[in-house]
Amino acid sequence: MRKWIAGFVVIVPLVEFWGYVWVGERLGVGKTIFLTLATSVIGLLMMQFEGRKLMTDAKSQMIGNQIPGKMMIEGLCVFGGGILLLIPGFVTDAIGFTMVFPLTRPLYRLLLMKWIGKKIKDGTITFFRR
């Protein structure tokens, strides 16, 4: 796990720097900075809207005596996408928007469910039932 984190700490800033250079050459410095700030603000607003919608859906499922498992996984996707949108950069913003956007979120939900299922089978994640 530490190798992955170390890789992300090195690779993500390099990719984002390359993205800034690429966009800056095409649009100019001022527009690049404006675009960075605009994507962060739009991403924050999208995250708030989608988060509130997921919370109301989860509450309605709990009132109906259902477990909101799908809503919790989607909430993790929205939260992770929101964090990526707050990090300055175009590559993280593109990934963050796809995690927050409702039409592309099921892809990430499926990947997250497979990862959690694998961890449960390996025994590295345990869960308790009442």
Side-chain angles (χ1 to χ4, degrees), residues 24-119:
E25 287 175 350
R26 281 150 183 78
L27 297 180
V29 175
K31 290 179 183 176
T32 303
I33 292 171
F34 174 75
L35 191 59
T36 302
L37 294 174
T39 56
S40 293
V41 170
I42 291 169
L44 181 65
L45 294 174
M46 260 181 90
M47 183 180 81
Q48 286 180 345
F49 177 75
E50 288 296 323
R52 285 190 183 125
K53 190 169 83 170
L54 284 172
M55 286 296 290
T56 56
D57 291 346
K59 284 181 185 178
S60 66
Q61 281 187 354
M62 286 190 287
I63 289 172
N65 290 329
Q66 296 176 339
I67 299 173
K70 179 182 170 186
M71 294 298 147
M72 294 302 215
I73 297 294
E74 290 202 7
L76 285 173
C77 291
V78 168
F79 179 73
I83 295 297
L84 288 175
L85 286 167
L86 292 177
I87 296 172
F90 296 112
V91 177
T92 54
D93 284 348
I95 296 169
F97 274 122
T98 59
M99 289 179 82
V100 173
F101 192 64
L103 296 176
T104 55
R105 195 179 317 136
L107 173 69
Y108 293 101
R109 187 182 69 220
L110 179 68
L111 293 172
L112 192 56
M113 290 292 289
K114 284 184 180 181
W115 181 77
I116 290 172
K118 180 183 169 193
K119 291 293 182 181

